[in-house]
Amino acid sequence: MPEEIAGSIERVTYYNEENGYSVIKIMPEKRFPRAQARDGTIAVVGTMPELREGETARFVGDWIVDERYGRQFRAERAIPVTPTSTPGIISYLSSGIVRGIGPKTAEKIVNHFGDETIAILDSEPDRIHEAPGLKCELAENLMKAWAKNRVMRNVYIYLQGLGISAKFAKRIWDEYGEKTHAVIENNPYQLARDVFLIGFRKADQIARDMGLAPDSAHRMRAGLHYALEELSREGHTYAPSELLLEKASGLLGIEDLAALNVALKGQLAAKTLVADVLHDPQAPEPTEAIYLPRFQKAEAGAARLLRTIAGSGSMILRDHRKTDWERYLGKLSARNNVSLSPLQQSAVKAALSGKVSVLTGGPGTGKTTALQMLINALREGDYPFKLASPTGRAAKRLAETTGVEASTIHRMLGFVPGEMGFEHDEENPLPVDMVVVDEASMLDLWLFHSLLKALQPTTHLLLVGDVDQLPSVGAGNVLRDVIESGVAHVTRLQEIFRQDDASHIVSNAHRINQGLQPVSDNNSKDFFFFNISEPEAVADEIVKIVKAKVPSRWGFDPIQDIQVIAPMYRGAAGVNNLNERLQAELNGDLRQAQVTLGNRVFRVGDKVMQTRNNYDKDVFNGDIGFVESINDSDSSLEVEMHGGYVDYDFSETVDLMLAYCISTHRSQGSEYPVVVMPVLTQHYMMLQRNLIYTAITRAKQLVVLVGTRKALHIAVNNNRVAERHSGLLHRLRVY
């Protein structure tokens, strides 16, 4: 149960104007012998409205013990209480609320108005001019500052009365300001649309606390929007209307589908949701597809732009109109001392003789060799080109394997954070003849649309990737849809070139992809299987493997070189528990600086991952770094990432997670020297062929699986790729 303390503010040690994080010292109304310093004060930390010396406030939260600063009160809610005593009012007025009003001036005001000072400032502020000796300019400034401060505080008190923490109250105030009360009273579900990290569930709780009925129109409309957002997080760009109503019914606990349908019609009429009719030749009748507007716009736009590019001419096409391809590719191979297979030659030819092409294939099949030959051809023809990947890690690897500069797609397009757009678009396209995108299986619809907008109709586009890996984390099924649409020339490489007889990583990856069980007899040099059935024992073994067994036998660094990848977050062998276990074993020295934020502990030396694109910091979802330092004085920590340093305010660490163990989706686009993975029947919902295949193909030198062969058998035999509702394929076929 949360506790409550109250007291007057003695000192404001720290206040962050951007996020409201504060460290203050209060003189409590009651004694707390274990927490009070020698001067009788208590340290209170947390996100709160700006409080000033002399004020009184109530704090709701819990006690924590900081290793450096001892016992503190961590406040979830901070409610200012108007000072009533003469010393308190004097202290508050002179605390800096208005520059130029110090203790002597404040004393003049309070001596004149007495205990009525606060009431007069609230209701008759003009009377402040009556105070003897108070300059007119100071009086005017005090009136303005008091009015602004009073509105903000009243909003904070109102919000916290609704059970909203001070942290979220700050975000709401920043979004709505003086309109906060009116917005929430009109429609509390607006919070879920406008305020970062306030989702439908939190808005729904606030609405229910306000007394809104479960079947109110506002709630049903918000629930439909929330259901579509949830489906987009599962990879869908749209939902058939029947699926949407069913999903919303379950989320809202409303069985009246007719009422939900009425709410849906209202959303469509207001254009907050969009309906399209999609014609699938394999379906008996057309699908009524319901979209969030941003996905419908991106999908229709991507289809239009890709068809335009595919049907347009180019400088490269003109120059190669009469090319004898067999002779040309033979000379190209000879000049670069590389022998290409017929399929690799076909890929190079497709990229140069067609506007849109796809090069796909598993590990070791020669995608990089074919790409390198294409790069040589572009250089010889003096055709400007760019290489890019969806993530920084994938771009770095692309540059290393090709010897050519590569970047993230965001950086190539010139992302503009404040405008949430790109420098390069239809009005300012990239001045290149070809763009190559590697790891294209990670492309989601929004990023693909942004890329296409930045290409001239004359630009060639080559998508390179392994279509058998997991699809993108974001909504859409771009690579698979483009392959199946017929718009692109598709080359699928299948012959394995990079193969060591003693290596099983590549051969086992291909066996898994073909539905065959991997060879797991532990007789290879790089593929091992530990047969353990209990999740707790699996977790124990993984810790031993990472900490001692692999480092002692092969010399790999347990933090830098070994990546644990788990199918699920929960459970003894899930991402969350394994991160805690591995942190304790690999970086558990309590003498290292650390900070506890919520239920998470960050320690200097920790391996961490960014979980959300942050364009201001130039860090992206999936980037891995290491905590370099922790600074309590300004509530920040520094992370070394990609050879540079990124500063995080404590409030921004919500975007960081420990990365000793990560999910398979988050491993996409990366390679690690060693991959260790639990494979258990308890992970049944996630045991899929493309998931195991993706994890194994992340390893360059060593794979260690820990679990049961039954679970591995289930995964390899489960080739049911989860259906994603995506209209891109239909639009590419129709338009």
Side-chain angles (χ1 to χ4, degrees):
M1 288 290 292
E3 295 191 47
E4 181 174 319
I5 64 172
S8 59
I9 286 80
E10 295 290 306
R11 292 189 301 280
V12 178
T13 305
Y14 175 78
Y15 176 72
N16 186 313
E17 291 185 0
E18 292 184 2
N19 56 47
Y21 184 82
S22 305
V23 180
I24 63 175
K25 293 293 185 72
I26 72 166
M27 188 64 70
E29 293 177 351
K30 296 191 300 183
R31 282 175 50 79
F32 296 92
R34 294 174 57 199
Q36 287 176 272
R38 290 182 180 179
D39 61 0
T41 60
I42 288 175
V44 179
V45 300
T47 301
M48 57 190 78
E50 185 175 8
L51 299 172
R52 300 182 182 276
E53 295 174 7
E55 280 192 271
T56 300
R58 291 190 296 112
F59 304 94
V60 178
D62 53 74
W63 294 99
I64 61 171
V65 178
D66 184 276
E67 290 199 353
R68 182 177 299 183
Y69 300 108
R71 195 168 174 81
Q72 299 176 327
F73 192 82
R74 180 174 56 196
E76 291 294 324
R77 296 167 61 194
I79 303 156
V81 178
T82 304
T84 55
S85 68
T86 296
I89 297 172
I90 292 173
S91 179
Y92 177 55
L93 290 180
S94 62
S95 64
I97 188 171
V98 175
R99 181 174 294 181
I101 296 184
K104 290 186 178 179
T105 303
E107 190 172 350
K108 290 179 183 179
I109 297 171
V110 178
N111 284 343
H112 182 76
F113 294 110
D115 293 344
E116 298 297 312
T117 301
I118 299 298
I120 287 169
L121 282 167
D122 282 344
S123 58
E124 301 176 275
D126 284 341
R127 287 189 58 194
I128 205 69
H129 288 284
E130 298 174 10
L134 183 64
K135 294 179 181 179
C136 182
E137 183 181 357
L138 279 181
E140 291 292 329
N141 289 342
L142 176 58
M143 290 165 56
K144 292 176 183 176
W146 188 269
K148 179 181 178 181
N149 196 272
R150 182 165 58 89
V151 171
M152 184 184 73
R153 285 156 186 270
N154 287 340
V155 167
Y156 268 79
I157 292 169
Y158 163 71
L159 293 174
Q160 294 187 91
L162 294 175
I164 299 172
S165 70
K167 178 172 67 176
F168 286 119
K170 174 74 167 62
R171 289 185 180 142
I172 294 169
W173 169 261
D174 289 343
E175 180 68 33
Y176 301 128
E178 297 181 9
K179 299 178 181 177
T180 298
H181 192 280
V183 169
I184 293 177
E185 288 295 316
N186 177 59
N187 179 14
Y189 293 99
Q190 191 70 27
L191 292 168
R193 300 277 298 276
D194 299 338
V195 183
F196 175 58
L197 287 182
I198 293 188
F200 172 82
R201 293 294 186 191
K202 182 63 179 177
D204 195 36
Q205 177 189 333
I206 294 167
R208 302 297 293 275
D209 290 344
M210 291 171 61
L212 262 71
D215 59 351
S216 73
H218 280 315
R219 185 169 188 262
M220 286 192 286
R221 286 196 292 266
L224 288 162
H225 199 279
Y226 173 56
L228 268 181
E229 291 282 5
E230 286 288 287
L231 288 166
S232 75
R233 280 187 274 273
E234 296 172 15
H236 307 288
T237 63
Y238 74 86
S241 54
E242 299 85 357
L243 174 62
L244 176 59
L245 293 174
E246 180 184 333
K247 180 83 171 178
S249 172
L251 291 171
L252 297 172
I254 296 175
E255 297 182 1
D256 189 350
L257 295 183
L260 280 171
N261 196 41
V262 170
L264 174 58
K265 298 301 182 188
Q267 292 279 70
L268 296 174
K271 297 184 179 179
T272 53
L273 298 179
V274 180
D276 257 0
V277 177
L278 300 180
H279 298 272
D280 185 345
Q282 298 178 344
E285 54 187 40
T287 299
E288 183 186 26
I290 310 298
Y291 286 86
L292 293 166
R294 67 181 187 273
F295 288 124
Q296 193 272 347
K297 180 181 178 181
E299 203 172 80
R304 172 181 60 82
L305 291 166
L306 192 64
R307 298 288 293 190
T308 298
I309 291 170
S312 300
S314 76
M315 178 82 70
I316 297 175
L317 290 180
R318 188 191 67 188
D319 292 348
H320 284 285
R321 188 169 56 244
K322 298 181 180 180
T323 295
D324 180 333
W325 287 103
E326 184 176 351
R327 184 180 178 189
Y328 172 78
L329 292 171
K331 286 186 175 181
L332 186 66
S333 296
R335 283 195 295 270
N336 293 280
N337 196 27
V338 174
S339 177
L340 295 180
S341 72
L343 274 177
Q344 287 174 314
Q345 291 182 25
S346 174
V348 176
K349 175 184 174 183
L352 295 172
S353 64
K355 293 297 302 303
V356 180
S357 57
V358 173
L359 174 59
T360 186
T365 56
K367 295 192 300 295
T368 301
T369 302
L371 178 55
Q372 185 64 67
M373 196 57 55
L374 172 63
I375 290 170
N376 292 336
L378 293 170
R379 282 174 163 170
E380 287 186 13
D382 200 23
Y383 302 116
F385 65 93
K386 285 189 177 294
L387 307 184
S389 289
T391 69
R393 292 170 298 158
K396 181 180 179 182
R397 189 157 57 86
L398 177 61
E400 290 171 350
T401 56
T402 61
V404 176
E405 180 184 353
S407 69
T408 63
I409 296 173
H410 287 86
R411 184 166 292 171
M412 178 179 72
L413 301 185
F415 188 80
V416 184
E419 301 175 13
M420 288 303 289
F422 292 98
E423 177 186 344
H424 291 288
D425 54 19
E426 287 179 277
E427 295 182 359
N428 180 32
L430 290 165
V432 294
D433 289 330
M434 182 173 290
V435 168
V436 177
V437 176
D438 195 22
E439 295 290 351
S441 63
M442 301 175 68
L443 269 177
D444 62 29
L445 176 64
W446 179 81
L447 188 56
F448 187 54
H449 182 222
S450 300
L451 170 66
L452 294 177
K453 285 193 293 184
L455 301 186
Q456 303 174 78
T458 56
T459 299
H460 290 235
L461 174 64
L462 169 61
L463 302 179
V464 182
D466 188 345
V467 73
D468 295 316
Q469 288 185 23
L470 289 170
S472 61
V473 175
N477 209 358
V478 170
L479 184 59
R480 190 173 293 275
D481 285 351
V482 171
I483 288 173
E484 294 180 6
S485 69
V487 171
H489 183 288
V490 180
T491 305
R492 179 185 278 271
L493 301 179
Q494 295 177 312
E495 182 181 353
I496 301 175
F497 294 98
R498 192 181 78 236
Q499 178 66 40
D500 180 339
D501 290 341
S503 168
H504 280 179
I505 293 178
V506 173
S507 60
N508 274 341
H510 285 272
R511 287 180 64 85
I512 289 169
N513 204 24
Q514 295 163 15
L516 303 174
Q517 292 299 310
V519 177
S520 57
D521 55 11
N522 293 349
N523 288 327
S524 74
K525 68 176 184 179
D526 61 2
F527 197 99
F528 296 88
F529 188 95
F530 289 82
N531 195 13
I532 302 173
S533 59
E534 293 300 321
E536 293 79 7
V538 167
D540 291 341
E541 185 64 24
I542 286 176
V543 170
K544 292 176 186 176
I545 289 168
V546 175
K547 184 180 181 181
K549 291 184 176 181
V550 168
S552 64
R553 181 171 175 181
W554 286 280
F556 291 109
D557 184 275
I559 298 179
Q560 297 278 351
D561 298 332
I562 304 175
Q563 185 60 61
V564 181
I565 300 175
M568 296 182 71
Y569 279 85
R570 296 181 180 178
V575 171
N576 297 333
N577 186 57
L578 285 172
N579 262 324
E580 290 183 14
R581 294 283 308 276
L582 291 166
Q583 181 193 40
E585 293 292 334
L586 303 178
N587 194 35
D589 187 348
L590 298 182
R591 291 172 296 181
Q592 291 274 38
Q594 69 175 44
V595 61
T596 302
L597 300 169
N599 58 359
R600 301 174 305 154
V601 175
F602 290 108
R603 191 172 291 128
V604 168
D606 272 338
K607 185 179 185 179
V608 294
M609 173 179 278
Q610 175 78 12
T611 61
R612 186 175 67 93
N613 290 346
N614 186 321
Y615 306 102
D616 292 327
K617 296 183 184 296
D618 199 26
V619 291
F620 299 93
N621 186 4
D623 284 348
I624 286 180
F626 300 88
V627 177
E628 184 72 17
S629 64
I630 295 173
N631 191 337
D632 288 302
S633 63
D634 66 357
S635 301
S636 70
L637 55 81
E638 188 178 55
V639 177
E640 186 276 318
M641 212 173 264
H642 305 314
Y645 295 92
V646 184
D647 289 317
Y648 288 83
D649 187 271
F650 284 171
S651 65
E652 296 173 321
T653 60
V654 66
D655 293 338
L656 291 177
M657 64 171 282
L658 292 176
Y660 300 98
C661 179
I662 61 177
S663 70
T664 314
H665 256 122
R666 292 195 184 280
S667 73
Q668 282 183 274
S670 297
E671 281 190 344
Y672 314 99
V674 182
V675 166
V676 179
M677 185 181 196
V679 185
L680 289 163
T681 53
Q682 285 81 358
H683 297 160
Y684 184 83
M685 293 295 294
M686 297 299 292
L687 290 180
Q688 298 171 357
R689 184 184 300 174
N690 60 355
L691 184 140
I692 297 292
Y693 173 77
T694 299
I696 287 175
T697 54
R698 300 308 90 207
K700 293 192 291 185
Q701 295 171 261
L702 183 66
V703 169
V704 182
L705 303 182
V706 186
T708 66
R709 285 188 167 81
K710 179 181 179 181
L712 186 58
H713 182 81
I714 292 171
V716 172
N717 285 341
N718 180 10
N719 197 32
R720 295 190 304 274
V721 178
E723 180 187 7
R724 287 193 168 193
H725 293 294
S726 164
L728 181 60
L729 175 59
H730 306 302
R731 296 175 191 278
L732 286 172
R733 283 174 170 169
V734 171
Y735 300 139

